[in-house]
Amino acid sequence: MSNLPAFAYVDVLTRLDTGDSSGLPPDLVDTPLKREALHALLKAAEAVHRAAVSTTQVADALRRDQKFVRPGPPSPHLVRLRQQQAQARQATNQAKQAFIVAADAFVRAFGLVVPAKVGLEVFAQDWMRARVPKDEAS
């Protein structure tokens, strides 16, 4: 499905996977603790993105195929799609939990203060959008 967005920080994550921090603002990677925290946050964000894409794909397939359902018991195909939807939702929830844990470690490593009435997840996502360079293709 080509209309689904790609993960916006794939190049940065790939560079951090290989230990290369060139092209990143120096204040993001000036200590090993900050590099590891940023890497963990980006890995968790990628997992959230993958889970969201999977959930969207399964939901689209289910919506498309349920249009033509006949009365009576559901077909094995629809049962399989519903099971996939439940698995995708569970994966999304687990990825979000992992992201929150990574965001907490990230905030501590960078010494950031999360404003009152702002969720940790929202704060971390906004911070990434503002500070981490996105890929040109995104």
Side-chain angles (χ1 to χ4, degrees):
M1 301 213 163
S2 61
N3 60 346
L4 295 172
F7 182 59
Y9 307 102
V10 71
D11 285 344
V12 174
L13 185 57
T14 303
R15 281 192 306 227
L16 287 173
D17 280 341
T18 61
D20 177 22
S21 58
S22 62
L24 291 174
D27 61 328
L28 298 183
V29 292
D30 58 353
T31 66
L33 181 64
K34 285 183 175 181
R35 272 193 305 275
E36 290 170 16
L38 179 62
H39 185 246
L41 184 69
L42 289 172
K43 286 289 247 194
E46 181 188 36
V48 169
H49 177 76
R50 272 195 325 266
V53 167
S54 175
T55 300
T56 301
Q57 288 174 336
V58 172
D60 289 347
L62 191 56
R63 247 188 316 279
R64 180 191 66 225
D65 293 353
Q66 279 184 336
K67 287 183 196 175
F68 308 106
V69 126
R70 293 187 180 129
S75 69
H77 173 69
L78 282 180
V79 170
R80 208 170 23 259
L81 281 176
R82 289 181 184 146
Q83 289 171 343
Q84 288 175 356
Q85 185 180 39
Q87 290 170 348
R89 284 182 181 162
Q90 185 177 15
T92 298
N93 291 339
Q94 290 172 344
K96 284 182 180 180
Q97 288 173 347
F99 182 80
I100 290 170
V101 168
D104 182 54
F106 172 79
V107 165
R108 291 175 194 273
F110 277 75
L112 301 173
V113 177
V114 180
K117 298 185 180 184
V118 175
L120 182 59
E121 183 178 7
V122 172
F123 176 78
Q125 289 171 342
D126 289 345
W127 189 94
M128 280 183 2
R129 273 188 222 107
R131 299 287 312 276
V132 178
K134 287 189 177 185
D135 301 338
E136 288 79 27
S138 297

